[in-house]
Amino acid sequence: MARAWRCAGLRWAAGGPVLSWAGGRRSALARGKRVAFAVAEGGVRTCVGARGHACPVRAGVPGRSTGARCEECARLDRAHSVAADTAADDPRPYRVYLAWFGPGLVKVGITADERGTARLLEQGAVCFSWLGRGPLMAARRTEELLRAALGVPDRVPYARKRAVRAVRAALPASEAERAAEIAGLHARAVALGGWPETLTPEPFRPVDHAGVFGIEGERRGPAAVAEVAELVAGGAVGGELVAAAGPDLHLATERGVVVLDTRLMTGWELVSAGGEPCAVPLRELGRAAAGVQDGLF
């Protein structure tokens, strides 16, 4: 009987994306590598727990949930979350950034200085620039200042990010074009009054991830045609990795390029697979991006 593994999520390292597994195993993901796995027959997706602790009741969670946590564990996970404003006493320095995900898709955000660019890679930011550095609450006030004064959101719906990256051709060809929107916003932000005194402004230095993700130039490959809607017991996914951005893997399958959100893998018992076809519910990307509930095929 094939050994089953529990996926602990996708992480971005210096060499690219890495799948982590319960027990400490890691699988580096290089473009051109075949990614193939199956969900154990009769398997049930269970809650991954919170803050390093297993779910006490091993609650079942929906296949389409990207959080893979039951309601109680989700609440505990956010109990000390910077994003939820419940960790205001965090003494670490933070950075404010402007991130660009595609034409018209710009956001302001903050991340712990020690994390470097990891947060931007995890979100799938095609390009970004730092805006300032300082204590947590100063970074948070600057984020709020940009939202109020310039109308810059602090969130971009993930479906919109995915749709732009999947089409590929929707992205400008050059790094300068991709950085143009955040260049203008950076200049306007620096010119604003009311910055916290403890936040040190940083110059505009755009960082481009299109090459890292594999969605730039001749290497970007064909557009994705569908996304995995959910994993199911007995289902299989297999394809050649042609691009990766944020939590998404773009796999060349017999149905065309399919996007797999690796957050859907957590909570399942997974086994290795060989040449099985992609046999899980899929959703057409074009219609899903437009907000239309599509049938599965």
Coordinates of all heavy atoms in Angstrom, one line a residue, residues 123-157:
Q123 N 2.0 36.0 -1.9 CA 0.8 36.6 -2.4 C 0.7 36.6 -3.9 O -0.3 36.9 -4.5 CB 0.7 38.1 -2.0 CG 0.5 38.3 -0.5 CD 0.3 39.7 -0.1 OE1 -0.7 40.3 -0.5 NE2 1.2 40.3 0.6
G124 N 1.8 36.3 -4.6 CA 1.9 36.3 -6.0 C 2.0 37.7 -6.7 O 1.5 37.9 -7.8
A125 N 2.7 38.6 -5.9 CA 2.9 39.9 -6.5 C 3.8 39.9 -7.7 O 5.0 39.4 -7.5 CB 3.5 40.8 -5.4
V126 N 3.4 40.4 -8.8 CA 4.2 40.3 -10.0 C 5.4 41.3 -9.8 O 6.5 41.0 -10.3 CB 3.4 40.7 -11.3 CG1 4.3 40.7 -12.5 CG2 2.3 39.6 -11.4
C127 N 5.1 42.5 -9.2 CA 6.2 43.4 -8.9 C 5.8 44.2 -7.6 O 4.6 44.3 -7.3 CB 6.6 44.3 -10.0 SG 5.4 45.5 -10.5
F128 N 6.8 44.7 -6.9 CA 6.5 45.5 -5.7 C 7.7 46.5 -5.5 O 8.8 46.4 -6.0 CB 6.3 44.6 -4.5 CG 7.6 44.1 -3.9 CD1 8.2 44.8 -2.8 CD2 8.2 43.0 -4.4 CE1 9.4 44.3 -2.3 CE2 9.4 42.5 -3.9 CZ 10.0 43.2 -2.8
S129 N 7.4 47.4 -4.5 CA 8.5 48.3 -4.0 C 8.2 48.5 -2.6 O 7.0 48.7 -2.1 CB 8.5 49.6 -4.8 OG 9.5 50.5 -4.2
W130 N 9.2 48.6 -1.8 CA 9.1 49.0 -0.4 C 8.7 50.5 -0.3 O 9.1 51.3 -1.2 CB 10.4 48.8 0.4 CG 10.9 47.4 0.5 CD1 12.1 46.9 0.1 CD2 10.2 46.3 1.0 NE1 12.2 45.6 0.3 CE2 11.0 45.1 0.9 CE3 8.9 46.1 1.6 CZ2 10.7 43.9 1.3 CZ3 8.6 44.8 2.0 CH2 9.4 43.7 1.8
L131 N 8.0 50.9 0.7 CA 7.6 52.3 0.9 C 8.2 52.9 2.1 O 8.5 54.1 2.2 CB 6.1 52.4 0.9 CG 5.4 53.8 0.9 CD1 5.8 54.6 -0.3 CD2 3.9 53.6 1.0
G132 N 8.3 52.1 3.2 CA 8.8 52.6 4.4 C 9.1 51.5 5.4 O 8.6 50.4 5.2
R133 N 9.8 51.8 6.5 CA 10.2 50.9 7.5 C 10.0 51.5 8.9 O 10.4 52.7 9.1 CB 11.6 50.4 7.3 CG 12.1 49.3 8.3 CD 13.5 48.9 8.0 NE 14.0 47.8 8.8 CZ 14.5 48.0 10.0 NH1 14.6 49.2 10.6 NH2 14.9 46.9 10.8
G134 N 9.5 50.7 9.9 CA 9.3 51.3 11.2 C 8.6 50.3 12.1 O 8.3 49.2 11.7
P135 N 8.1 50.8 13.3 CA 7.4 49.9 14.2 C 6.0 49.5 13.6 O 5.5 50.2 12.7 CB 7.2 50.8 15.4 CG 8.2 51.9 15.3 CD 8.4 52.1 13.9
L136 N 5.5 48.4 14.1 CA 4.2 47.9 13.6 C 3.1 48.9 13.5 O 2.5 49.1 12.4 CB 3.7 46.7 14.5 CG 2.3 46.2 14.2 CD1 2.3 45.7 12.7 CD2 2.0 45.1 15.1
M137 N 2.8 49.7 14.6 CA 1.7 50.6 14.5 C 1.9 51.8 13.6 O 1.0 52.3 13.0 CB 1.3 51.1 15.9 CG 0.9 50.0 16.9 SD -0.4 48.9 16.1 CE -1.7 50.0 15.8
A138 N 3.2 52.2 13.4 CA 3.5 53.2 12.4 C 3.3 52.7 11.0 O 2.8 53.4 10.2 CB 5.0 53.7 12.6
A139 N 3.7 51.4 10.8 CA 3.4 50.8 9.5 C 2.0 50.7 9.2 O 1.5 51.0 8.1 CB 4.1 49.5 9.4
R140 N 1.2 50.3 10.2 CA -0.2 50.2 10.1 C -0.9 51.5 9.8 O -1.8 51.7 8.9 CB -0.8 49.6 11.3 CG -2.3 49.3 11.3 CD -2.7 48.3 10.2 NE -2.5 46.9 10.7 CZ -2.4 45.9 9.9 NH1 -2.5 46.1 8.6 NH2 -2.3 44.7 10.3
R141 N -0.5 52.6 10.5 CA -1.0 53.9 10.2 C -0.7 54.4 8.8 O -1.5 55.1 8.2 CB -0.5 54.9 11.3 CG -1.1 54.8 12.7 CD -0.9 56.0 13.6 NE 0.5 56.2 13.8 CZ 1.2 55.6 14.8 NH1 0.5 54.8 15.7 NH2 2.5 55.9 15.0
T142 N 0.5 54.1 8.3 CA 0.8 54.5 7.0 C 0.0 53.8 6.0 O -0.5 54.4 5.0 CB 2.3 54.2 6.7 OG1 3.1 54.9 7.7 CG2 2.7 54.7 5.3
E143 N -0.3 52.5 6.2 CA -1.2 51.7 5.4 C -2.6 52.4 5.3 O -3.2 52.5 4.2 CB -1.2 50.3 5.9 CG -2.1 49.3 5.1 CD -2.2 48.0 5.7 OE1 -2.4 47.9 6.9 OE2 -2.0 47.0 5.0
E144 N -3.1 52.8 6.5 CA -4.4 53.4 6.5 C -4.4 54.8 5.9 O -5.4 55.1 5.2 CB -4.8 53.5 8.0 CG -5.1 52.2 8.7 CD -5.3 52.3 10.2 OE1 -5.1 53.4 10.7 OE2 -5.6 51.3 10.8
L145 N -3.3 55.5 6.0 CA -3.2 56.8 5.3 C -3.3 56.7 3.8 O -4.0 57.4 3.2 CB -1.8 57.4 5.7 CG -1.5 58.7 5.0 CD1 -2.4 59.9 5.4 CD2 0.0 59.1 5.3
L146 N -2.6 55.7 3.2 CA -2.7 55.5 1.8 C -4.1 55.0 1.3 O -4.6 55.5 0.3 CB -1.7 54.4 1.3 CG -0.4 55.0 0.8 CD1 0.4 55.7 2.0 CD2 0.5 53.9 0.2
R147 N -4.8 54.2 2.2 CA -6.1 53.8 1.8 C -7.1 55.1 1.8 O -7.9 55.2 0.9 CB -6.7 52.8 2.8 CG -6.1 51.4 2.7 CD -7.0 50.4 3.2 NE -7.3 50.6 4.6 CZ -6.7 50.1 5.7 NH1 -5.6 49.3 5.5 NH2 -7.0 50.3 6.9
A148 N -6.9 55.9 2.8 CA -7.8 57.1 3.0 C -7.5 58.2 2.0 O -8.4 58.7 1.4 CB -7.8 57.6 4.4
A149 N -6.2 58.5 1.8 CA -5.8 59.6 1.0 C -5.7 59.3 -0.5 O -6.0 60.2 -1.3 CB -4.5 60.2 1.5
L150 N -5.3 58.1 -0.8 CA -5.1 57.8 -2.2 C -6.0 56.7 -2.7 O -6.0 56.3 -3.9 CB -3.6 57.3 -2.4 CG -2.5 58.3 -2.1 CD1 -1.2 57.7 -2.3 CD2 -2.7 59.6 -2.8
G151 N -6.8 56.1 -1.9 CA -7.8 55.1 -2.3 C -7.1 53.8 -2.7 O -7.7 53.0 -3.4
V152 N -5.9 53.5 -2.1 CA -5.2 52.3 -2.4 C -5.8 51.2 -1.5 O -5.7 51.3 -0.3 CB -3.7 52.4 -2.2 CG1 -3.0 51.1 -2.6 CG2 -3.2 53.6 -3.0
P153 N -6.3 50.1 -2.0 CA -6.8 49.0 -1.1 C -5.7 48.2 -0.5 O -4.6 48.2 -0.9 CB -7.6 48.1 -2.1 CG -6.9 48.3 -3.4 CD -6.4 49.7 -3.4
D154 N -6.1 47.5 0.6 CA -5.1 46.6 1.3 C -5.4 45.2 0.9 O -4.7 44.3 1.5 CB -5.2 46.8 2.8 CG -6.5 46.5 3.4 OD1 -7.5 46.3 2.7 OD2 -6.6 46.3 4.7
R155 N -6.4 44.9 0.0 CA -6.6 43.6 -0.4 C -7.0 43.6 -1.9 O -7.7 44.6 -2.3 CB -7.8 42.9 0.4 CG -7.4 42.6 1.8 CD -8.6 42.0 2.5 NE -8.2 41.5 3.9 CZ -8.1 42.3 4.9 NH1 -8.3 43.6 4.8 NH2 -7.8 41.8 6.1
V156 N -6.6 42.6 -2.6 CA -7.1 42.4 -4.0 C -7.6 41.0 -4.1 O -7.0 40.0 -3.6 CB -5.9 42.5 -5.0 CG1 -6.3 42.1 -6.4 CG2 -5.3 43.9 -5.0
P157 N -8.9 40.8 -4.5 CA -9.5 39.4 -4.6 C -8.6 38.5 -5.3 O -8.1 38.7 -6.4 CB -10.8 39.7 -5.3 CG -11.1 41.1 -5.1 CD -9.8 41.8 -5.0

